[in-house]
Amino acid sequence: MQNFAAYRDVAAEAIEWRRHLHRIPEVGFELHGTATFVHNKLISFGIDEIATGIANTGIVGVIRGRHGEGPIIGLRADMDALPIVEASGKPWASTELGKMHACGHDGHTAMLLAAAKHLARTRDFKGSVALVFQPAEEVEWPSGGFKMVQEGIMDRFGISKIFGMHNWPGMDIGKFGICAGGIMAAQDDFDVVVKGRGGHAAAPHRAVDPVVIAAQIILGFQSLVTRHVDPLESIVISVTKLSASQAYNVIPDHVTLSGTVRTLSPHLRNFAETEMARSATGIAEAFGAQIDFHYLRSVPVTLNSPAETAVAAKVARGIVGDAQVDDQMRPIMGAEDFAYLLEARPGAFVFLGNGNTAEVHHPAYDFNDASLIYGMAYWVGLAETVLGNRNS
């Protein structure tokens, strides 16, 4: 197991960095204050190369090892907050009304900065480490991860492998979770406009009621999940928005229903898009109505490469011991735009315990500072293991 003595001074600084970032949350691509803070820290660490303005406010810093030429690996942290009013009650709570770090990206950024300071000081590896600080993970599409890949960071910095990490409430501090293959789901979004014929609510026989039809379509979507998909595969279809008449006594001309689809297999994305359209069309036509169906493929499946997953689990075990690492973690049906980086290069995404805290995206959530040293140690161990100077 890891001796943390070499990390404690930097980890203590990282707490202050994290709390500072928590006070100044920014959302989307407009992370100017956050990016300036990160940039200034990287300069102070003596990073060899720093590129700014990638995907608007993204940053890539490069640290070259002292043991000669070798590959370049990427370590990624997301930096953006969410448009949520904070209710944590912490002394370091958000000073920006309606914005808060409700997903722990302040902690992710602080952990990678802490690792960067240590790695820049020791440089005990061959090749180079590319530090990827990403905006707009919470933006559905095009997100920061997508745009950074589109703007060519993999080729520009010669990144051969890429690694990511996310805190996870409910998992004990000092625990890690990972699995090979799909660890987080694809996210697709849909809108269905049901076009009927409106009328008075007291005379429904003279209308083609799109509200009733929409209800049947919603139930039809659930039948696709339970009766057309292998029970051992994972798919979620959730209708989350429904817009109809604003009056008690009016049957509207049309109803719009919207929602999200989550899958762990690419073929199920194809199934959902095709079969949802077929099901909704058939139901609407049976009632004498029509539909407009729109399906947006947003974030792909977060697919961990087997070899890189094995290395990541090995590094984690070297830090906290075998019992604290679940390398067969059950996949999570939430989505993560690190998936775009894993489409571009092999790599692995790991979860780090955040303890007994509020769930991510909850107004009372706060990143647990006790996990910072574990995240920092993981990044350092990963760099020194993959780049050839440690056998964890």
Side-chain angles (χ1 to χ4, degrees), residues 2-301:
Q2 182 75 54
N3 181 349
F4 289 125
Y7 302 139
R8 294 198 184 282
D9 60 334
V10 181
E13 287 185 89
I15 293 174
E16 295 307 311
W17 302 340
R18 202 283 296 181
R19 294 179 180 182
H20 169 75
L21 291 170
H22 195 90
R23 292 186 184 100
I24 59 161
E26 298 171 296
V27 300
F29 291 96
E30 302 302 316
L31 310 184
H32 301 288
T34 303
T36 297
F37 179 84
V38 170
H39 186 206
N40 289 340
K41 288 298 178 188
L42 294 178
I43 291 172
S44 74
F45 303 159
I47 302 300
D48 297 290
E49 178 184 353
I50 304 172
T52 61
I54 304 169
N56 195 7
T57 49
I59 298 172
V60 176
V62 178
I63 305 172
R64 300 187 182 97
R66 60 185 172 88
H67 297 301
E69 295 296 320
I72 302 171
I73 66 165
L75 311 179
R76 174 269 206 171
D78 38 16
M79 302 187 291
D80 58 321
L82 284 155
I84 295 175
V85 176
E86 181 159 2
S88 71
K90 301 292 185 181
W92 49 85
S94 170
T95 60
E96 300 291 329
L97 183 62
K99 301 176 185 178
M100 75 166 288
H101 273 292
C103 206
H105 297 183
D106 51 340
H108 301 168
T109 300
M111 287 189 292
L112 188 55
L113 282 173
K117 183 169 185 177
H118 181 88
L119 290 168
R121 185 167 58 192
T122 60
R123 299 177 183 267
D124 198 13
F125 53 88
K126 296 182 291 185
S128 299
V129 175
L131 311 158
V132 179
F133 292 92
Q134 180 204 305
E137 190 277 326
E138 301 290 358
V139 174
E140 291 183 357
W141 197 89
S143 66
F146 176 85
K147 292 195 73 171
M148 291 189 90
V149 171
Q150 289 298 107
E151 291 183 19
I153 64 165
M154 299 303 182
D155 291 334
R156 177 178 174 182
F157 299 99
I159 297 171
S160 60
K161 301 177 188 294
I162 189 77
F163 296 88
M165 176 164 47
H166 204 292
N167 76 95
W168 200 243
M171 182 185 292
D172 291 345
I173 295 292
K175 284 193 172 183
F176 290 84
I178 195 170
C179 67
I183 191 169
M184 295 192 75
Q187 175 187 340
D188 297 336
D189 300 315
F190 64 87
D191 297 287
V192 182
V193 180
V194 183
K195 297 185 288 187
R197 185 173 67 250
H200 199 290
H205 59 291
R206 297 174 185 164
V208 176
D209 190 344
V211 178
V212 173
I213 298 167
Q216 296 296 322
I217 289 172
I218 293 169
L219 293 175
F221 287 167
Q222 301 314 304
S223 295
L224 291 178
V225 173
T226 61
R227 290 296 178 266
H228 294 270
V229 175
D230 186 331
L232 298 180
E233 294 192 288
S234 297
I235 180 170
V236 175
I237 302 175
S238 292
V239 175
T240 57
K241 295 190 289 184
L242 188 65
S243 175
S245 172
Q246 299 301 306
Y248 287 107
N249 61 349
V250 174
I251 294 173
D253 281 319
H254 66 273
V255 168
T256 301
L257 58 97
S258 306
T260 189
V261 178
R262 305 300 172 98
T263 60
L264 288 167
S265 303
H267 78 91
L268 286 179
R269 300 182 88 181
N270 298 332
F271 166 85
E273 182 171 5
T274 300
E275 293 304 312
M276 287 174 69
R278 182 195 61 77
S279 176
T281 299
I283 290 170
E285 289 179 348
F287 283 91
Q290 295 179 319
I291 69 156
D292 288 333
F293 181 80
H294 304 280
Y295 193 94
L296 173 64
R297 296 198 180 205
S298 184
V299 181
V301 180

Side-chain angles (χ1 to χ4, degrees), residues 319-334:
I319 297 168
V320 296
D322 292 350
Q324 297 293 92
V325 179
D326 180 3
D327 62 4
Q328 301 294 322
M329 180 180 179
R330 294 181 64 184
I332 292 166
M333 296 307 287

